[in-house]
Amino acid sequence: MSEVLFGQGTLLKLGNSAGTSFTTIARITDLSLPSMSADSVESTSHDSANFTREFEPGLIDPGELSLTILYDPAEVTHGLTAGLPYLMKNRLKRKFEIHYTDAGDTVWTIEGFVTGFQGSAPIDDNVTADVTIKLSGFPVES
């Protein structure tokens, strides 16, 4: 029987420029996993059966990751000098790791770049930021 995974404890880690060392992105409160999709390419021909369209799988879009953080500019992964906004400003692609909470300690390694960083400072709640990361290439599992 498969185990049911609990979300708490799932980690997203940011790789250094060489992709050899990873730092946990601090204070994530919500992490939406990759929203992958595949195109469909029509392959209908004059001899297709039953007047029915036919399709083949096309290119895969690895999608995006989105996360919400309790924003703290003092956190290295949040700051303007080395964190997620820095990556967006400088248009840098990095490796990321998603560490799942399963008994096998599954890790997905992905490459991507930050496409969105939206902060929020409500009068009666935590300062947060919503971050979007566009993926490039299919995840590799280890």
Side-chain angles (χ1 to χ4, degrees), residues 25-26 33 60 62 101 107 134 140:
I25 297 175
L33 301 172
I60 295 172
T101 60
V107 175
K134 177 63 180 166
V140 175

Side-chain angles (χ1 to χ4, degrees), residues 41-127:
V41 179
E42 186 170 358
S43 59
T44 308
S45 64
H46 287 284
D47 55 354
S48 293
N50 301 318
F51 297 100
T52 303
R53 294 185 185 276
E54 297 177 2
F55 295 88
E56 300 296 326
L59 295 175
I60 295 172
D61 181 343
E64 296 178 331
L65 284 174
S66 60
L67 56 139
T68 301
I69 56 176
L70 295 173
Y71 180 67
D72 180 354
E75 291 282 0
V76 68
T77 56
H78 298 186
L80 294 175
T81 58
L84 297 165
Y86 172 85
L87 296 178
M88 186 168 83
K89 175 186 171 215
N90 291 287
R91 304 177 55 210
L92 298 174
K93 205 185 264 191
R94 288 286 192 266
K95 286 188 178 178
F96 293 85
E97 290 182 340
I98 301 170
H99 290 251
Y100 292 96
T101 60
D102 62 314
D105 295 323
T106 300
V107 175
W108 282 11
T109 302
I110 51 182
E111 189 172 40
F113 53 95
V114 178
T115 59
F117 192 93
Q118 173 66 54
S120 178
I123 195 168
D124 60 350
D125 207 350
N126 295 313
V127 174

